[in-house]
């Protein structure tokens, strides 16, 4: 089986999470500067077998897409052009950052580690992936 990967796309940083090859466990992977994200994913997808990418989706309270949605859609189109067999799914990511902060607060002992902004992005991606997989 191939992995499933999740992406919490951000303006400056993007968090990534992935499953194990059996798709049982979702784990934070890393945080990448968004400007380097495409190259990182291209390298990762050439080295690892990934069957699907789950990209977080945020809607405004009125149901309209956030302003960053056009940039996310462009990124997805560029990635799918390079990897046409990669399935891309969208998953609601409302409140994942707040949930991630709570998880970190209770599970990371060192204060300095808890304050790393990139850790929130990684854990948010893992929550997006868990929700997609139906574990939450």
């Amino acid at each position: 089986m191939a992995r499933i990967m999740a992406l919490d796309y951000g303006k400056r940083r993007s968090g990534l999470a992935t499953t194990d090859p059996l798709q049982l466990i979702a784990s934070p992977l890393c945080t990448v500067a968004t400007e380097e994200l495409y190259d990182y994913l291209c390298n990762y997808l050439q080295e690892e077998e990934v069957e699907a990418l789950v990209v977080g989706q945020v809607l405004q309270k009125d149901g309209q897409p956030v302003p960053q949605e056009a940039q996310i859609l462009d990124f997805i189109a560029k990635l799918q052009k390079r990897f046409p067999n990669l399935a891309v799914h969208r998953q609601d990511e409302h409140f994942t950052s707040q949930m991630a902060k709570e998880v970190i607060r209770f599970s990371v002992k060192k204060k300095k580690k808890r304050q790393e902004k990139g850790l929130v992005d990684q854990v948010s991606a893992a929550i997006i992936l868990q929700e997609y997989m139906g574990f939450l």
Side-chain angles (χ1 to χ4, degrees), residues 11-29:
K11 292 177 185 175
R12 292 185 206 111
R13 294 177 315 278
S14 295
L16 295 165
T18 187
T19 65
D20 60 292
L22 296 176
Q23 299 179 4
L24 299 173
I25 300 169
S27 302
L29 178 64

Side-chain angles (χ1 to χ4, degrees), residues 3 15 28 62 66 69 79 108 123:
R3 297 176 190 273
D62 63 0
V66 295
E69 184 67 15
L79 198 61
V108 178
V123 174

Side-chain angles (χ1 to χ4, degrees), residues 113-133:
K113 182 73 172 170
R114 286 194 310 257
Q115 293 174 336
E116 290 180 16
K117 291 181 182 179
L119 184 58
V120 172
D121 299 323
Q122 292 174 43
V123 174
S124 293
I127 292 169
I128 291 167
L129 186 52
Q130 286 176 333
E131 289 179 346
Y132 172 79
M133 295 169 63

Side-chain angles (χ1 to χ4, degrees), residues 39-57:
D39 292 336
Y40 178 89
L41 283 175
C42 287
N43 290 332
Y44 189 90
L45 293 171
Q46 289 173 345
E47 294 176 16
E48 295 287 340
E49 188 177 351
V50 176
E51 75 177 41
L53 176 66
V54 181
V55 181
Q57 182 175 31

